[in-house]
């Protein structure tokens, strides 16, 4: 059976050019990048070229990029690191209710240490109101952390405005750009961010690799202690192949962004139009907000999203629900409940996240199976009132 992958926000395959760039660093070019001999110099050169490519993707300087083990570590380093370096009098953080758990759980851990955190709500379209940020500021606020693109909805937050507010208030500003890097233009000076998180495996690079942008002059403490790697910000022998992979992925993403955006948006629009036309009561979440071109979150009321994901998987179409599965119980997504969906609608929502290798035929194949799968599940569902069966 032909299998179609529409879960690129969960992870992406390593692009062949990225893999080619990485391969020599597992065997021939294995030197420790901190060694001063030729073996080490060769890998040091490769790591520094990769750093430059990552910097260029976001309009930063190479010296402002620190390699990490991924988006989660970058978020932890930004949030814990800035708070730890701040004076005792500045222990308040502002964030949103729709952040990834890499940010939310970090903020919750800070609360246990006595730091106060404000979790701002978002609109029905999934957008934060910059005025809410302004109102939440206190003299003791040290950090604002607001994600760039949401992983479930694809909605893009008005970071320029929030950045202006943060700069005026003299508060550090971090963004989790894990879901926007490579899908949406990013320039750290335009966004006025001081810290920005990236993950390689969301942009056709390897898993377990990421980076954090730290604007020169930002006061931050490391999370880990050890050697003097990464300018004392992240000790540990460099993951040379991984960093090279992220560098190559960033280089490709930068060069091909306009073309990729067009390709993805056209397929996303066709998928949404097809589902809205063929599936009664379906609704696209965040459709009126600025969005990444690859992400579509659709509520299909009167069924369980998990059941539809499984039914579609049996037909060869891989997508996901926004719901996190914890201790065997399917909790409704915190993002979808934050935009105002009742729990049963949040549980009846699917995320399709498209990628560079998808083709228009994949969309047509998905559209040929989705309406039938929905109809079969609704037939079985006590939730489906037969009187609303016709649109
Ligand atoms: N932030 C966002 C918005 C994400 O979507 C993810 C991954 O799902 C992460 C952070 C975590 O990144 P990583 O898997 O590299 O730790």
């Amino acid at each position: 059976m032909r299998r179609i992958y529409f879960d690129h926000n969960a992870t992406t395959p390593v692009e062949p050019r990225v893999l080619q760039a990485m391969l020599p660093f597992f065997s021939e070019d294995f030197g420790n990048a901190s060694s001063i001999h030729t073996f080490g110099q060769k890998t040091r050169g490769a790591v520094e070229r990769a750093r430059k490519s990552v910097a260029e993707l976001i309009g930063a300087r190479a010296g402002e990029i620190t390699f990490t083990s991924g988006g989660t570590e970058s978020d932890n380093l930004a949030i814990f690191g800035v708070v730890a370096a701040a004076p005792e009098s500045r222990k308040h953080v502002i964030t949103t209710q729709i952040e990834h758990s890499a940010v939310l759980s970090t903020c919750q851990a800070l609360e246990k240490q006595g730091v106060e955190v404000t979790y701002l709500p978002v609109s029905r379209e999934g957008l934060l109101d910059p005025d809410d940020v302004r109102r939440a500021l206190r003299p003791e606020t040290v950090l604002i952390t607001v994600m760039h693109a949401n992983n479930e909805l694809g909605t893009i937050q008005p970071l320029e405005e929030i950045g202006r507010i943060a700069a005026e208030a003299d508060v550090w500003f971090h963004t989790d750009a894990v879901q926007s890097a490579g899908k949406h233009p990013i320039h750290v000076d335009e966004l006025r961010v001081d810290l920005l998180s990236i993950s390689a495996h969301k942009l056709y690079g390897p898993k377990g690799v990421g980076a954090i942008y730290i604007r020169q002059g930002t006061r931050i403490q490391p999370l880990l202690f050890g050697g003097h790697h990464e300018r004392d910000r992240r000790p540990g022998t460099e993951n040379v192949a991984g960093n090279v992979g992220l560098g190559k992925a960033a280089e490709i993403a930068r060069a091909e962004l306009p073309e990729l955006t067009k390709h993805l948006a056209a397929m996303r629009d066709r998928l949404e139009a097809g589902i809205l036309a063929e599936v009664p009561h379906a609704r696209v979440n965040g459709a009126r907000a600025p969005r990444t071109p690859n992400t579509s979150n659709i509520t299909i009321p009167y069924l369980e999203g998990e059941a539809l994901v499984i039914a579609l998987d049996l037909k060869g179409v891989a997508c996901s629900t926004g719901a996190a599965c914890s201790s065997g119980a399917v909790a409704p997504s915190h993002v979808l409940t934050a935009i105002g969906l009742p729990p049963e609608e949040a549980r009846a929502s699917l995320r399709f996240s498209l990628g560079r290798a998808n083709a228009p035929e994949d969309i047509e194949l998905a559209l040929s199976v989705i309406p039938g799968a929905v109809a079969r599940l609704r037939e079985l569902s006590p939730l489906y009132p037969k009187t609303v069966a016709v649109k």
Side-chain angles (χ1 to χ4, degrees):
M1 188 193 346
R2 195 163 143 232
R3 290 210 170 264
I4 296 172
Y5 185 75
F6 287 153
D7 201 13
H8 291 83
N9 286 9
T11 197
T12 59
V14 172
E15 221 269 351
R17 286 170 287 175
V18 170
L19 180 62
Q20 279 310 314
M22 291 172 69
L23 283 175
F25 297 97
F26 289 106
S27 47
E28 302 121 70
D29 297 326
F30 62 87
N32 184 322
S34 299
S35 302
I36 55 172
H37 47 60
T38 308
F39 289 89
Q41 281 173 26
K42 202 158 180 193
T43 46
R44 168 58 53 204
V47 168
E48 295 314 317
R49 279 191 298 280
R51 198 185 306 281
K52 186 161 175 283
S53 297
V54 175
E56 284 169 355
L57 179 67
I58 59 171
R61 282 175 289 195
E64 296 172 311
I65 302 296
T66 300
F67 287 110
T68 67
S69 67
T72 302
E73 185 187 330
S74 297
D75 287 343
N76 273 261
L77 175 54
I79 298 168
F80 276 128
V82 163
V83 171
E88 264 312 304
S89 57
R90 304 224 11 220
K91 298 284 173 185
H92 173 237
V93 173
I94 298 173
T95 188
T96 78
Q97 293 174 0
I98 62 164
E99 299 299 309
H100 188 271
S101 52
V103 167
L104 284 182
S105 300
T106 306
C107 287
Q108 285 155 8
L110 278 179
E111 284 185 287
K112 292 201 183 108
Q113 297 173 9
V115 175
E116 285 194 66
V117 182
T118 303
Y119 300 89
L120 293 174
V122 295
S123 70
R124 185 84 199 184
E125 294 298 314
L127 294 180
L128 177 62
D129 180 350
D131 284 336
D132 284 346
V133 178
R134 204 188 302 277
R135 281 189 284 268
L137 282 169
R138 302 182 198 165
E140 59 273 25
T141 307
V142 64
L143 174 73
I144 299 170
T145 172
V146 173
M147 72 197 318
H148 195 200
N150 182 266
N151 45 305
E152 293 186 32
L153 300 167
T155 49
I156 293 170
Q157 300 300 334
L159 294 192
E160 292 88 341
E161 260 185 278
I162 300 166
R164 224 176 359 258
I165 293 167
E168 278 164 20
D170 206 13
V171 166
W172 302 117
F173 183 29
H174 165 248
T175 190
D176 174 336
V178 165
Q179 291 291 349
S180 58
K183 297 176 196 156
H184 189 81
I186 298 178
H187 197 293
V188 289
D189 289 339
E190 283 166 20
L191 301 179
R192 299 183 72 159
V193 290
D194 301 303
L195 304 118
L196 180 146
S197 305
I198 291 182
S199 171
H201 76 102
K202 309 287 184 178
L203 67 150
Y204 309 94
K207 293 169 183 58
V209 182
I212 180 169
Y213 157 76
I214 305 174
R215 185 182 293 279
Q216 199 178 352
T218 306
R219 289 187 51 157
I220 187 163
Q221 270 189 21
L223 286 182
L224 306 176
F225 295 87
H228 296 291
H229 311 84
E230 299 291 298
R231 293 179 171 78
D232 284 333
R233 290 201 157 137
R234 208 282 187 168
T237 301
E238 290 90 342
N239 175 359
V240 177
N243 297 353
V244 165
L246 173 53
K248 189 69 186 174
E251 179 194 318
I252 296 171
R254 180 163 169 254
E256 299 179 2
L257 183 64
E259 199 185 314
L260 183 63
T261 300
K262 245 189 271 164
H263 172 64
L264 293 171
M267 290 191 294
R268 191 254 336 251
D269 292 349
R270 167 71 189 126
L271 178 70
E272 290 183 352
I275 292 178
L276 293 181
E278 297 298 327
V279 176
H281 317 293
R283 283 192 324 269
V284 179
N285 294 309
R288 284 193 294 276
R291 279 190 293 165
T292 46
N294 79 316
T295 307
S296 185
N297 189 297
I298 305 188
T299 299
I300 302 178
Y302 313 118
L303 50 72
E304 282 295 332
E306 295 273 306
L308 184 53
V309 167
I310 293 164
L312 292 179
D313 192 43
L314 291 172
K315 300 272 179 200
V317 177
C319 62
S320 65
T321 61
C325 196
S326 55
S327 59
V330 181
S333 143
H334 69 283
V335 174
L336 299 181
T337 45
I339 65 168
L341 296 194
E344 67 280 7
E345 289 199 3
R347 275 199 298 268
S349 301
L350 253 56
R351 177 183 73 181
F352 298 90
S353 48
L354 315 183
R356 55 187 307 136
N358 287 135
E361 302 83 80
D362 298 347
I363 305 294
E364 299 312 318
L365 201 147
L367 288 175
S368 73
V369 300
I370 293 170
V374 170
R376 268 188 301 281
L377 286 175
R378 282 179 169 170
E379 275 295 302
L380 301 172
S381 170
L383 300 172
Y384 194 44
K386 305 299 180 229
T387 49
V388 296
V390 179
K391 202 179 186 182

